[in-house]
Amino acid sequence: MLLVLYTCLLWLSTSGLWTIQAEHSSADVNAKNHHRGLAPANVDFAFSLYKHLVALTPDKNIFISPVSISMALAMLSLGTWGHTRTQLLQGLGFNLTEMAEAEIHQSFQHLHHLLEESATSLEMTMGNALFFDHSLELLETFLTDMRHFYDSEALATDFQEWDRASRQINEYVQNKTQGKIVNLFSELNSPANLILINYIFFKGTWTQPFDPNSTREENFYVNETTVMKVPMMFQSRPLRYLRDSELPCQLLQLNYVGNGTIFFILPDQGKMDTVINALSRDTIQRWSNSLNISSRVNLYIPKVSISGAYDLRHVLAELGIGDLFTSNADFSGIIQEGQLRLSKVVHKAVLQLDEEGVQASASRVVTPYLTSSQSFTINVSFNRPFLILVFDHFTWSSLFLGKFVKPT
């Protein structure tokens, strides 16, 4: 039988599970710092996954939610045994000699709760769900751990009636995200016996909004020969800005109401790959320490939408988690009888950078380069390919990573 993991979505086909709650009760973990143990591994995994996806599609827009992928794969590990479990957790970046499995799941549990608390000031919805064919008998230990650590609902359905089952799942996710995530299974053509879903929707409000009256159609320089028109937003004020002395790029940090923070990174012409290859925990930390409030920045940034849908099978194999898709994978911690096989790990993410634009003078000049005026006003125009990194700055979770190459 088939199992699928979605957005992560997991596709399985028949297996079993184990429980770690007894271990959880005796684990010596400081509850206040659960999420901090996750941050290094999650960020490392996020950038590694991101770099592999960029390498596979160098000329396309990229947008993923690493925290969604990590959480879904961690949930899947609850139903694995032996080498499969070890490979999966190590592939996510965890050193199992330093961090017990119970602590890993406790940390994800705490992270989930912290992100839910962030949703009081951000428009963010995150959740987990398990859909399984009504003919399967799931192990109670698996269901208990899923509920306890990941607040996951388990819902029986009839996968023999795939059209009806897919509508049920689509409606469930659409309702949970207030209509923001729709048609999750619009292109799914191989029904499973069990589907594990993590969904996340995020929309932030700028702490200092743009003025929509100053949005103007401007040029976006896709490459040396291709120019497209985009609605360009504008604002002029003191901002956290850095012209990097080590990497060929400049960047800005903007904040959302609540815990959201976003880095806009503008590589120098032809230096996109250099900057992407240098992305790491250390780079982010250095940027955070080096960003200073400038006297004034004239910021031009396009109003864009980025979406991505990815089958992560080959990417996960490159990250050392390839055995999940072989007959050697052990998912015996999920169901009472039978054997499950992982069919797909599918991810979908959508960004709408559509906040209100700012009034700008009709005579302003937008070029694909940064300049600095004598009055110490810095002009920064994101009118060529750039990067977007969205973090929760309390947990330092990598909510979203994006690469904007061209308007769609």
Side-chain angles (χ1 to χ4, degrees), residues 338-353:
Q339 184 176 3
L340 283 171
R341 180 175 64 85
L342 183 61
S343 171
K344 292 184 180 180
V345 178
V346 188
H347 181 67
K348 285 187 177 181
V350 179
L351 167 73
Q352 289 187 331
L353 189 62

Side-chain angles (χ1 to χ4, degrees), residues 6 58 63 99 104 119 128 130 139 173 201 203 228 231 244 260 306 319 322 333 355 359 367 380 406:
Y6 218 110
F63 194 65
M99 193 173 189
I104 292 172
N128 306 298
L130 174 68
L139 291 173
V173 175
F201 170 79
K203 182 178 180 181
M228 301 178 70
D244 199 340
I306 313 175
L319 295 175
E355 286 74 14
Q359 180 85 48
T367 70
V380 187
K406 62 180 179 180

Side-chain angles (χ1 to χ4, degrees), residues 1-38:
M1 288 182 277
L2 292 179
L3 163 74
V4 177
L5 175 63
Y6 218 110
T7 280
C8 251
L9 168 68
L10 264 77
W11 218 290
L12 264 82
S13 286
T14 316
S15 251
L17 187 70
W18 60 292
T19 185
I20 62 174
Q21 279 191 273
E23 184 183 352
H24 149 71
S25 63
S26 61
D28 183 16
V29 181
N30 184 342
K32 293 183 179 180
N33 294 314
H34 281 322
H35 65 282
R36 304 207 181 277
L38 280 183

Side-chain angles (χ1 to χ4, degrees), residues 171-183:
E171 289 172 2
Y172 175 89
V173 175
Q174 184 172 340
N175 290 336
K176 288 292 184 178
T177 60
Q178 292 79 51
K180 305 301 183 181
I181 299 178
V182 297
N183 296 326

